[in-house]
Amino acid sequence: MQELSQQELQFKVNQDKDKSFAVFMYTPLCGTCKVTERMLDIILTMKPNMPLVKCNINFLPQISQEWQIASVPCVVVIEPGKEKQYIYRMQSVDELYRRLMPLVE
C-alpha cells in the first residue's frame, strides 16, 4: 500500500477526479490501525489492483479538518460524483472487502 503525503493526496484527489479510490487514515501508535492495516493487506493480496493508499493523519492537518475525520482508523472512499464515504468500524476482512469491491469493478 503506497503512503502519500498531504500534498500527494491533494494532488491525487484533484487530478484523478474521474477515478475511484480509497484512503486508509491511521496513526503509527494506534493498535486498531495496525489490525485494520493487516485486514487491508489481506484484501490487497486478493485484489492487487485495488486503488488503495494510506496516509498518516498526523501529517494531514488540512485534509483531516476539511474532511472532518472523527477518529482513526478511517477508510475514506472517494468516488466521482458521490459524497465521500467514511468507514470507521472495521468488523472483519469480509465486510471491508464487500465495502471496497465497487472500487475495482
Side-chain angles (χ1 to χ4, degrees), residues 1-2 21-27 32-55 72-77 87-101 103-104:
M1 192 175 346
Q2 181 186 10
F21 66 97
V23 183
F24 167 53
M25 303 285 201
Y26 75 98
T27 60
T32 311
C33 297
K34 291 186 189 328
V35 172
T36 300
E37 187 166 10
R38 280 192 219 118
M39 288 181 182
L40 293 170
D41 285 341
I42 292 167
I43 292 169
L44 284 171
T45 301
M46 293 186 295
K47 292 286 183 187
N49 59 337
M50 175 80 63
L52 180 63
V53 296
K54 68 178 182 177
C55 296
V72 290
C74 177
V75 176
V76 183
V77 179
I87 306 170
Y88 289 105
R89 213 170 98 219
M90 318 319 167
Q91 285 186 312
S92 66
V93 173
D94 184 48
E95 181 217 350
L96 206 48
Y97 180 79
R98 278 187 270 117
R99 305 255 325 250
L100 295 175
M101 269 316 291
L103 298 175
V104 178

